[in-house]
Amino acid sequence: MKKHLIAAAVAAAIAAPAMAQNVTLYGTLDAGVASLSNVGASNTTGKSAQVFTDGAMSSSVWGLRGSEDLGGGLRATFNAESDLSINNGTTASSGFWRRAANIGLAGGFGALELGVKMNPVIATNAALMTTAGNNVSTMQSAALGFSDFFTRNAITYTSPNMSGLTVQVQHGMSNTSAAGGDMTAFSALYASGPVEIRVAGQERNGPRNDSGAHYGSVQPAAATGSTNDKSTYVAGVKATLGAWQVAAAMYQNEYNTAVGGAKTKRESTGLSASYQLNSATRLGVARMESEGSTLTHAQARYVLSKRTQMYVAYGQADNKGTTAYWPYASNTNGFTGGTAAPIFADGTPGAGGALNAKQRGYGIGVIHSF
């Protein structure tokens, strides 16, 4: 009897460290088909295309996250997340774990994480959409030139909820003496009942090295190429009113394409609304405007199960001479970055939209999460 008790005690002691750690495999897959108008070198030729879409609404990703109870209310955490390109089975060429690769400590003081993590400005941009989707949030950040999605060499602190207020601060350091440069970003959320107020900003200084061990985003800003100094601010409010959800946001991005060069400023406003038609169906519409250019987007989602839903979506870009929206986020040609606008087999680009052009896209797709 004593031998059995001793054996059980030893087995429990060996298993205890493993039981204290919680590891989760998770992911999202989004695929569909779409029809796009006015594609090609000038985006005004009248040429149309039917394409396979990957990540039009939700980026296709998979990852691991976990935590270990250290006692006294303290936890060790980690997160690693990668792209999963459904159209060709590859991942991002800019890094296997480009979306997240961090470890940290969390407790009553909040959370402190070290390593690659999403930029607070990008997270705030997405959170200010009533029906989230790359067809709006990614296209908005690309058109204004602040698509600095993930920060390398980052130290990120997230505060606990302080009577409705949560603050996040992030600093990305340069790990190269040759290029220099760093970034600092923040976000703040105040939630009270059905209302959320969000603000975020970033300051990027000095040259950026997207392919090396540097502070910069792992994906350049589509509107400006390899930018240097940059100041970005986002602010907005979102409210839930019964079956309705409404949001309004303001954006400003100021940047230059050479250190010390002339700066360009882009300002924008965004309005969105959604309606829960029934337990399975949600309708949404959004409109973004920047210096006369507009992006209008509508979608409907139908829940098939707890983890699977279908959607139909329509986007229309009416661009003037300053800001260029692309109407439909899609990964159509094997570009391994997630939500890239297409470049077609004949070599004609459609990425980023075109100035002084009208374009539209509509499609259908399915999203599954695990």
Side-chain angles (χ1 to χ4, degrees):
M1 182 67 175
K2 290 183 178 180
K3 290 183 178 180
H4 289 301
L5 291 175
I6 293 172
V10 172
I14 294 174
M19 292 175 64
Q21 187 177 43
N22 175 37
V23 179
T24 301
L25 170 68
Y26 68 92
T28 299
L29 306 176
D30 179 342
V33 292
S35 178
L36 307 172
S37 74
N38 283 339
V39 299
S42 65
N43 299 121
T44 58
T45 61
K47 179 180 178 181
S48 63
Q50 287 68 50
V51 299
F52 182 96
T53 63
D54 179 357
M57 291 293 181
S58 301
S59 299
S60 295
V61 304
W62 74 280
L64 298 167
R65 66 166 66 97
S67 65
E68 182 184 15
D69 188 352
L70 301 177
L74 189 65
R75 293 178 292 112
T77 66
F78 81 91
N79 183 209
E81 185 174 290
S82 176
D83 298 282
L84 200 167
S85 297
I86 298 177
N87 65 325
N88 61 12
T90 63
T91 188
S93 59
S94 52
F96 189 85
W97 299 112
R98 74 169 186 123
R99 304 181 64 90
N102 57 71
I103 59 174
L105 294 173
F109 64 90
L112 181 65
E113 296 160 291
L114 305 176
V116 178
K117 191 171 177 66
M118 179 174 284
N119 186 334
V121 171
I122 297 299
T124 298
N125 176 39
L128 285 171
M129 308 293 174
T130 57
T131 44
N134 289 329
N135 275 347
V136 181
S137 58
T138 300
M139 297 301 98
Q140 171 71 350
S141 62
L144 267 68
F146 65 90
S147 52
D148 309 292
F149 293 130
F150 312 106
T151 306
R152 298 178 177 182
N153 305 317
I155 302 174
T156 305
Y157 169 72
T158 306
S159 75
N161 187 322
M162 301 173 290
S163 301
L165 176 65
T166 304
V167 177
Q168 186 175 85
V169 180
Q170 183 179 87
H171 182 67
M173 295 179 288
S174 170
N175 272 23
T176 169
S177 59
D182 62 2
M183 69 83 71
T184 301
F186 77 92
S187 66
L189 161 65
Y190 178 73
S192 178
V195 178
E196 295 180 1
I197 301 173
R198 295 179 181 269
V199 296
Q202 69 168 347
E203 292 286 339
R204 291 178 174 266
N205 303 297
R208 190 171 78 182
N209 177 6
D210 290 316
S211 60
H214 200 80
Y215 80 90
S217 158
V218 298
Q219 180 170 334
T224 62
S226 183
T227 58
N228 294 275
D229 296 345
K230 181 183 298 185
S231 300
T232 311
Y233 298 97
V234 178
V237 60
K238 183 163 66 175
T240 301
L241 309 169
W244 285 94
Q245 193 172 72
V246 294
M250 298 182 295
Y251 307 83
Q252 179 181 293
N253 188 44
E254 188 173 27
Y255 57 87
N256 57 23
T257 56
V259 177
K263 290 188 176 182
T264 299
K265 181 185 290 188
R266 294 282 184 269
E267 295 181 330
S268 175
T269 58
L271 298 172
S272 61
S274 65
Y275 181 73
Q276 192 70 42
L277 186 62
N278 52 49
S279 60
T281 308
R282 189 172 187 84
L283 309 176
V285 63
R287 182 176 176 84
M288 317 305 293
E289 189 276 337
S290 176
E291 301 181 35
S293 297
T294 60
L295 171 66
T296 304
H297 180 264
Q299 63 173 285
R301 300 197 184 198
Y302 183 79
V303 175
L304 298 172
S305 70
K306 182 179 179 180
R307 297 184 178 276
T308 306
Q309 57 183 294
M310 294 188 66
Y311 62 83
V312 293
Y314 173 82
Q316 178 173 307
D318 186 356
N319 295 325
K320 306 304 180 185
T322 302
T323 304
Y325 287 106
W326 177 251
Y328 204 94
S330 58
N331 184 349
T332 62
N333 73 321
F335 177 90
T336 54
T339 54
I343 299 176
F344 297 96
D346 60 4
T348 54
L355 298 175
N356 299 309
K358 293 184 178 180
Q359 300 167 279
R360 65 179 183 274
Y362 55 90
I364 185 171
V366 60
I367 302 173
H368 178 77
S369 299
F370 61 89

